[in-house]
Structures are given as C-alpha cells and as structure tokens.
C-alpha cells in the first residue's frame, strides 16, 4: 500500500513539476537534478537496498509523463571502468545506467588527458593491471603500474614476490630511460610499502628511476590522490583504512626523507573539484536530452555526512542524508547538517520533487 501511495505522489508531482503540454506532448527542461552516492544509498554490498529500484524508476520515466530527470552516481569508489560499473549496476538495479552517469573517484582524471596523453604516468592502486586499463580507457597512452616497475627491476622492493601471472600482465619498459611525468593514486593501493617506495623514488629522482636525486624544492612531478577517505566501511565490524591513510603514510615517509611534504592535488568527495566536475557532467546530460539551458538545482543524496553532505553543502547544493548506510541517527546529530534527512532513497527523491514543486508554486 505504501508503494502505491508513493507512486501516486510521484505521478502527481511530475504532472505539475514538468508542466507537460498535453497537445504538443512535450516536456520542458527539468528544474532539478540528482547525484546519488552508491554504497549505503542505492546498494548494500552487492545487493540493492529495498527502495533503490523504485527511486530510479521514477526518475527514469516510470511516471505518466514518461519524463526523465537526469541523475548521476557520484562515488569515492573505483577500480574499474565506468562502463564496467554501469553494466554491473544496471543489472543489479534493474534499470539502464549509462557509463556517462557514473563518476568514480578517478573519473575526474579525464580532465588530465590533454596534458598527459603521451607522457608516462604511474597509476597506483587496484588489482593487477586494472588501473592501467582504466587510464587507457580515458586516453592515457603511456600508463604504467607498480607491477610494471617490479617487472623491470624487482630489487626496487625486494620484499615482494611477483608472480608469473603478474609478470604476464606487465608492460615492458625501461624506467631508467622513461621519465614519469605524473603519479595518479587512482584507487586504494594493495601493498603500501612498495607503492610508497616507488613514489618516493620517482619524486626524489625527478621522474627517472635509478636517476640521481634532485633538489627537493624542485617538485616537477604532478601527484594526484583520487579519494580522501581516511576510513571506509567493509564487511569487517570496524572501519578499514582507506586511501586517505595511504596518503598520510606516504607524506610522513617523504617528509622524513626530505624535510617537507610533497604538494598534491586531491579529488573525491567532499572536494570542490569533484563536485564541480559532477555539476558539469549533469549539465551535459541535461543539454543532450533537452537542448542547451541553465543548470537546474542540484540534490545530493548520500549516507555519509563527512563526504556526501559536506561536499554538497560547500557546493551550495541541497543535501539529503539517508539512514541506510554509514550515518546512524541514534548516535547523535551528523557532523555536517543536511538540508533534509530521509529514511531511504525513495523518500529522499519524493521529498526533493515535492520541495521543487512547492518552490515553483511560490514563484508563480
């Protein structure tokens, strides 16, 4: 009965919000857009949360107007291409999700392709050569991994054994003659020791492994961390260390070696560059569907006050904190106050639609 009630509410809101012209059968450009976190909002592990499919079906046109409101999925996760994640989520959520709707922690690296397409870049994190494949899908033609470095000279970190399978996936390259121009920490590193060692070697030698150390004040190598999360939630009952902890470890070691930390660029929620990138992606999706126009009001629906809500608030979006993930409402108020709180993602979507309708009526 509740589902029918919510469907009726959605239909009524769409009839008024989209202001359909019955005779011409056209729908005007929507005045709002959505960004969803994935884990804890739409998905609980590998399974969809109970109301996730309903929420997306409403936005995908399952309403009397067949009107679609563009949305994106904005996550600090990664480790696979946007196409692969879109395929998996489409199957599990029973709705078509395009790769263009997926923004992972490392998706913003697409903005670096023009500068580094034909320069050697070191891509850290993930399993095997997955991050090389992701980088190549973005347009980086000289993307290398930790395994490539170990295959070139395993003595750079003698405490690890490179398997035959790993060697088979390695890209042959002489790093003593191939200068690294940028280091992208794309996903959570699996072996911190080797990655910290290689990063320090690359940065201290000006990008050329086995080369002499350069003046530490001449920092010419671009370093990018894609996910600031210190902790993340896994199946273990206590939070696990994330990429933010790896960054702290690297900086601590680098400072002990050189006397200062290394400058870097940070992406991922709640950083401004990631929210600016998300805004641009959603704007493009709207333009593709409805023609050029202004950006609508944005709603971020997330479960983490520290990333989802803090980032949305700073970007001057409306934010909805759901109670299906990281945030526990019994533990006290959130560290960052959302515009609204909702029990689940469907309730969050309906609240946002009702709010926009109310604002529209006030403006008439």
């Amino acid at each position: 009965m509740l589902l029918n009630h919510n469907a009726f509410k959605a239909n009524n809101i769409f009839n008024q919000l989209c202001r359909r012209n019955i005779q011409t059968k056209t729908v005007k450009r929507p005045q709002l857009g959505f960004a969803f976190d994935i884990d804890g909002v739409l998905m609980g592990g590998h399974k969809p949360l109970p109301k996730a499919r309903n929420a997306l079906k409403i936005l995908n046109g399952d309403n009397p107007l067949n009107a679609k409101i563009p949305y994106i999925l904005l996550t600090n996760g990664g480790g696979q291409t946007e196409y692969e994640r879109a395929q998996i989520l489409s199957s599990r959520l029973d709705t078509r999700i395009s790769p263009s709707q997926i923004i992972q922690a490392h998706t913003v690296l697409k903005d670096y392709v023009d500068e580094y397409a034909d320069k050697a870049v070191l891509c850290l994190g993930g399993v095997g050569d997955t991050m090389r494949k992701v980088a190549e899908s973005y347009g980086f033609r000289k993307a290398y991994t930790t395994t490539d470095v170990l295959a070139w000279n395993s003595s750079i970190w003698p405490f690890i054994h490179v398997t035959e399978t790993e060697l088979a996936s390695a890209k042959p390259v002489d790093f003593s003659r191939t200068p690294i121009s940028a280091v992208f920490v794309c996903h959570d590193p699996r072996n911190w020791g080797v990655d910290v060692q290689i990063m320090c070697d690359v940065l201290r030698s000006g990008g050329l492994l086995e080369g002499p150390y350069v003046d530490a004040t001449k920092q010419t190598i671009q370093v990018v961390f894609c996910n600031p999360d210190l902790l993340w939630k896994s199946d273990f009952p206590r939070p696990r260390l994330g990429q933010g902890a790896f960054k702290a470890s690297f900086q601590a070691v680098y400072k002990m070696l050189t006397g200062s930390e290394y400058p870097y660029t940070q992406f991922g929620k709640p950083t401004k560059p990631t929210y600016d990138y998300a805004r641009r992606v959603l704007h493009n999706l709207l333009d593709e569907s409805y023609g050029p126009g202004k950006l609508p009001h944005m709603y971020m629906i997330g479960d983490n006050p520290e990333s989802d809500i803090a980032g949305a608030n700073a970007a001057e979006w409306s934010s909805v904190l759901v109670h299906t993930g990281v945030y526990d409402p019994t533990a006290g108020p959130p560290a960052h106050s959302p515009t609204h709180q909702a029990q689940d993602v469907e309730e969050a979507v309906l609240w946002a639609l009702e709010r926009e309708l109310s604002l529209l009526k006030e403006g008439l």
Side-chain angles (χ1 to χ4, degrees):
M1 193 69 182
L2 179 60
L3 176 60
N4 292 336
H5 173 66
N6 284 346
F8 175 79
K9 285 175 64 178
N11 293 343
N12 182 51
I13 293 167
F14 263 94
N15 273 302
Q16 300 178 70
L17 187 60
C18 293
R19 298 175 292 175
R20 187 182 188 181
N21 185 311
I22 300 299
Q23 294 180 338
T24 61
K25 296 184 179 181
T26 59
V27 178
K28 291 188 177 181
R29 184 182 177 95
Q31 300 174 54
L32 75 165
F34 288 89
F36 297 94
D37 187 19
I38 298 176
D39 297 319
V41 175
L42 298 173
M43 301 292 297
H46 296 297
K47 296 181 180 180
L49 289 170
K51 300 299 180 67
R53 288 171 174 154
N54 297 340
L56 295 186
K57 284 180 179 179
I58 292 171
L59 300 182
N60 277 334
D62 188 9
N63 55 75
L65 307 181
N66 294 319
K68 296 183 179 181
I69 292 183
Y71 62 87
I72 55 176
L73 307 186
L74 182 60
T75 176
N76 275 351
Q80 58 192 162
T81 66
E82 287 71 22
Y83 175 82
E84 290 168 334
R85 178 154 286 199
Q87 291 290 103
I88 293 170
L89 290 174
S90 294
S91 174
R92 291 175 178 170
L93 290 167
D94 194 27
T95 190
R96 183 182 179 278
I97 296 173
S98 166
S100 62
Q101 292 174 275
I102 304 288
I103 301 177
Q104 303 181 101
H106 44 69
T107 306
V108 69
L109 291 176
K110 292 178 180 180
D111 282 351
Y112 282 76
V113 171
D114 287 346
E115 184 177 359
Y116 294 104
D118 292 305
K119 297 178 181 179
V121 296
L122 184 63
C123 300
L124 302 184
V127 178
D129 62 349
T130 55
M131 292 321 307
R132 185 210 329 282
K133 293 176 180 177
V134 169
E136 289 176 345
S137 77
Y138 294 166
F140 296 101
R141 289 184 278 271
K142 296 181 179 180
Y144 301 109
T145 67
T146 298
T147 301
D148 299 331
V149 177
L150 290 168
W152 162 71
N153 188 342
S154 61
S155 66
I156 198 168
W157 187 253
F159 309 111
I160 189 171
H161 172 68
V162 183
T163 67
E164 291 298 323
T165 301
E166 290 172 327
L167 287 173
S169 70
K171 212 171 185 179
V173 60
D174 184 353
F175 286 102
S176 68
R177 298 174 179 272
T178 305
I180 300 295
S181 296
V183 178
F184 300 148
V185 186
C186 305
H187 196 40
D188 296 89
R190 269 37 180 187
N191 189 315
W192 289 19
V194 65
D195 284 353
V196 168
Q197 178 71 77
I198 291 175
M199 279 187 74
C200 288
D201 285 341
V202 167
L203 300 178
R204 297 183 73 196
S205 64
L208 205 59
L209 290 174
E210 287 190 349
Y213 289 158
V214 300
D215 184 347
T217 62
K218 296 179 180 178
Q219 298 153 334
T220 60
I221 312 300
Q222 174 82 51
V223 172
V224 176
F225 292 93
C226 293
N227 180 357
D229 290 348
L230 178 68
L231 301 170
W232 64 287
K233 193 177 186 302
S234 72
D235 293 334
F236 195 76
R238 296 290 181 269
R240 302 294 84 196
L241 296 176
Q243 193 182 129
F246 171 79
K247 179 181 69 178
S249 298
F250 156 72
Q251 290 287 25
V253 172
Y254 186 84
K255 185 175 182 179
M256 291 181 71
L257 292 173
T258 67
S260 63
E261 293 189 349
Y262 197 89
Y264 63 92
T265 298
Q266 181 70 70
F267 292 131
K269 298 179 296 185
T271 67
K272 184 178 184 299
T274 287
Y275 277 83
D276 288 345
Y277 184 89
R279 181 187 286 110
R280 175 156 44 99
V281 168
L282 190 65
H283 199 173
N284 290 340
L285 289 173
L286 273 165
D287 287 351
E288 290 172 6
S289 299
Y290 297 95
K294 68 178 183 178
L295 184 70
H297 187 65
M298 296 283 294
Y299 284 83
M300 177 73 211
I301 300 181
D303 69 311
N304 190 333
E306 300 289 346
S307 58
D308 302 319
I309 305 307
N313 291 349
E316 298 184 344
W317 298 4
S318 291
S319 56
V320 185
L321 180 62
V322 295
H323 298 173
T324 50
V326 170
Y327 175 63
D328 179 3
T330 65
H336 299 272
S337 298
T339 311
H340 184 70
Q341 293 191 39
Q343 290 299 314
D344 55 60
V345 65
E346 184 184 28
E347 182 182 309
V349 166
L350 291 173
W351 174 82
L353 294 173
E354 288 182 312
R355 182 173 187 249
E356 287 299 306
L357 176 58
S358 175
L359 293 173
L360 176 63
K361 288 179 177 179
E362 290 177 6
L364 295 177

